Amino acid sequence: MIPVAEFKQFTEQQPAFKVLKPWWDVLAEYITYAMLMIGVFGCTLQVTQDKIICLPNHTSADVVSQITCQEFTQQSSASNDSDLETTVPPPTATSSPPREMSGLRNNLDLQQYSFINQMCYETALHWYAKYFPYLVVIHTLIFIICGNFWFKFPGTSSKIEHFISILGKCFDSPWTTRALSEVSGESSQEKPNQERSIDRELSKPNFEEGSPATADLPIPEKLVAETSSASALDKKEGEQAKALFEKVKKFRHHVEEGDLLYSMYMRQTVLKVCKFVLITIYNAVLVGKIHFIVPCSVHTEDMTGYNSFCCNHTKAHLFSKLAISYLCFLGVYGLTCFYTLYWLFRRPLKEYSFRSVREETGIGDIPDVKNDFAFVLHLVDQYDSLYSKRFAVFLSEVSESRLRQLNLNHEWPADKLRQKLQHTPEGRLELHLFKLPGLPDTVFEVAEMESLKLEMVNEALIPPLVSKLVRLEELSLLNCTAKVQHASMAYLRDHLRILQVKFDDIKEIPLWIFGLRALEELHLFGWLSQDLSKNPALESLRELKSLKVLTIKSNLSKIPATVADVAGHLQKFSIHNDGTKLLTLNALKRLVLVKELELVRCELERIPHAVFSLTNLQVLDLKENTLHTIEEIISLQHCRKLSVLRLWHNQIAYIPDHIRKLKGLEELSLNRNKILVIPSQLFLCNKLRHLDLSFNEIRELPPEIGVLQLLQYLGLSGNFLEDLPTELFFCQKLKTLKLGQNRLASLSPKVGSLVCLVKLELKGNRMDMLPPEIGNCLSLKRSGLNVESLLFDTLPVDVRDKFKED
C-alpha cells in the first residue's frame, strides 16, 4: 500500500499561509485531496490484485475483431448442455437421480495461464484502462504544485513570508487595539457635532502645512493625562510598535515596485485552467475504453495450442466508477479555476483602496496601495477583512505620530525636562530640545518656561496644551517645521511675543507665523532666492500689525519691498548677509519710524544715502562691510536722534573732522579698522559714553580725551600706543579701560583717580611694574584686572592682599 502520508510533503505549508488562501483555493485544495485518494486507491488495487484473467477461445481467430467472446460463451454453454443430455439418463417417474456437469478441458497448466494473462494485459488491454490510477495521481500532483507554487518559488515566497510575518504582528499588536479603540471612542462622542465641526474647520485657514491630502477630517488628539491606565502601552510595546511602522514602510516600498506575486498567481491559475480542459477532454473520451470483457489475440499456438482468448479485466467495473467520480471532482475543480479567473479579471486587483476602513475607523490619512501590496490585501480580505483593517493602522502617519508621541512622553517626563532649563542672555528661562523625533506633550507641564527652542525637531506639532505655558513669550524654530493646531493658534496669536525661524528653504517657513497678531519680534535665518518674487512667505509680513523688530539673516541683494508694509510700526530692522552685496536700499527711506538699523556683511562701500532720511534713527550698525571712507558721515547730522554709531570691522583709514557735527553721539565703535590718527575734533562729541578704537594702527592718543567727562568705556587694545596723556585720567566716570596689546612701558600713578574703574586690561604691553596707586581704584577687583601674573606680583603686598580679599 502507498499511504497518503507519503504525499503530505507536496501539500504541506506553513499554517500562517492560510490567510492568503481564499475560499476557492481552500475548496480546490480539498478537491485535490479527494482526487489524490482516488488515484492512490486505484494504484493500490492495481498493485495488490490480479490485473486480468484470460480463458482460451476454442475458435481460432487471426485478429481480435474475429473473436466474439459472447458467442464463445453461448457455444460452450450449448455443448455443455448436449453432453449432459447424452450422459445423464432421463428421469423416471419413480426416481430423479442428480446430473453430473462438466466443463471444457483446455489442457493448460498454471504457468501457461499466467503467461497468457500477462501477454493479453500488455497487448489487448487499452492503455487508459491500465494506467488510469497513475494518471489520476500525476494530474492531481500537478494541480497541487500549480496551486502552491507561488508559496515555494524563491522570488515570491520571501515576500509572502515577510508579509505574513508583519501582518500577524500588526494584528496582535497592542497598539492596533489602542488606536482603533481610541478612534471608535472619539467617533461615538463627536458624531453629533461632526457636521458642525467640519464646517467650522473648513472656514478657518489651514495652519497645518504639509498635512496629507487624504486627511479631510480632523482626528481628535488624546491628551496624555486623559489616557486610561488600562489602555496605556509600556515602553517595550511602544518600541515594538515603532519597529512595526518601519517594517511596514520598507515592505510597502519594496513590494509596490512590482507585480511579481500577481503575475505568478495569474500564471498558475491559467495553467490550472488549461490543464483542467485538457484532462477533462481526454478523460471524457477515453473513459469508455474500460471494458469488463476484453478479447485477446496472441500467436501462441506452438506454446498453448490457442491463438485467441477472452479476458476478464477484474477492476474494470470499479475503475469506471472511479473514473466517473474523478471526472465529477475534476469538474468542480475546474469551476473553482474559472471562478478564480473571473475574480482576477472582474476588477483591478493591483489597486487597493482603504476608503471603507477610513470611513469606519475615522483615520483619514490611510493611503491606497498598488501592485503586489494591493493584491495580497485583496486575498487577505477573502479570508478576513479584519486583518486589513488592523493592518491599515500601521499605514497611517497620524497613527505613527500618535505612537511617536507616546514614546516621547515615556522618554521625556516633565522632571527630566526641568533639568534642561537654562537662562538666556536676556534672562528668560529657556528649554532647548535638540534632534527629537517630535515634541513631547510633557513639555507643556513645565509651566515656568518662558522660552522654547526647538532645533532639528522632526514634525513638531504644537497642541492646545500650549495654553498651559502661561509665561511663554519666545519660540525658536531652528530647522524645525512645526505645525500648529487651530486651538493652539488661538492662544499663540495673543501671547507669543518673540519668534525665531531658521530654515534651509523658504518653503520651510511656516505660514501660520504670519497670523501671530501680538508678535513683536521676528528673526528669520536662512537662504532666500535672489528673485524676491519667489519668496512668497515675505509677502505675508504685512499681516504682522504689532511687529517692532525684524531681523533677516540671509543673502539679500536688495531690501524686500514688503518691509515697507510694516514700516508704520517697525522700530528695529536688521539685515545680516552672508557677504552678498546689498545693491538696492531705496526701501529704507520708508522706514520713517525705525530707531535701530543694522546692515551687517552687506559689502557696503559707503554709508547708504537712504539712511540720512531716517529722522528717528537712534542706532546705526554697519559691521563687517567694506567701508573705506566715511566722508558722508556729516549727513548723519540730519538723524538728530542718532546716539549709537557702529562702524566696526571695516577698512576705514581715517576719521573725518566733521564728525564733530554728531553732537548727540553716546556710543562710537570704530574698532578693527585701519585708523592711524584720532582727530581732536572727535572729542567735541562730548556726550560719548562708549568709545571703542581697539585693533587699529593708532600711535598717539590726543590729550583732548579729557574732555569726555561722561566716558565710561574706552577701548584702545591692539594699537601701537607708547604713552598715555595725563588728561585721560580726568575721565572720572570710566568703568572699563582696555589698553592691552600696546607698547606701553609704564602706567601713570594717576590711574588711582579712576575710582569708578571696574575693568582694567593691561596685558600684552612692555611694563615692568604697576603703580601702587592702582589700589586706590576702589571698584576694581582682581577679576577685573587683566595683567600678567608676574606684573601683578610687582605690586606691594598690601595692595595685592587688598585685591585678593576682594
Side-chain angles (χ1 to χ4, degrees), residues 305-319:
Y306 302 96
N307 65 352
S308 61
F309 303 89
C310 287
C311 302
N312 174 20
H313 185 198
T314 59
K315 293 175 284 297
H317 180 72
L318 179 60
F319 277 10

Side-chain angles (χ1 to χ4, degrees), residues 425-436:
E426 294 80 14
R428 298 187 186 91
L429 200 58
E430 181 181 74
L431 175 62
H432 184 192
L433 299 180
F434 178 69
K435 277 191 175 181
L436 293 187

Side-chain angles (χ1 to χ4, degrees), residues 16 82 139 155 189 261 274 348 461 496 526 538 634 649 657 703 720 748 795 803:
S82 61
H139 294 326
Q189 295 175 7
L261 295 177
C274 296
L461 178 65
L496 198 62
L538 297 181
I634 190 173
H649 295 264
D657 292 341
F720 302 106
S748 174
L795 289 172
F803 278 112

Side-chain angles (χ1 to χ4, degrees), residues 512-562:
W512 56 263
I513 69 174
F514 301 106
L516 302 173
R517 60 190 178 197
L519 192 67
E520 296 179 357
E521 297 186 23
L522 176 60
H523 306 273
L524 301 176
F525 310 108
W527 188 267
L528 297 174
S529 173
Q530 293 295 332
D531 185 0
L532 295 181
S533 62
K534 296 181 180 180
N535 297 327
L538 297 181
E539 297 294 329
S540 303
L541 283 174
R542 61 175 63 92
E543 304 296 332
L544 302 176
K545 303 299 183 183
S546 301
L547 192 65
K548 297 179 180 179
V549 178
L550 175 61
T551 300
I552 302 177
K553 187 174 182 180
S554 184
N555 59 319
L556 296 176
S557 60
K558 60 181 178 179
I559 297 177
T562 52

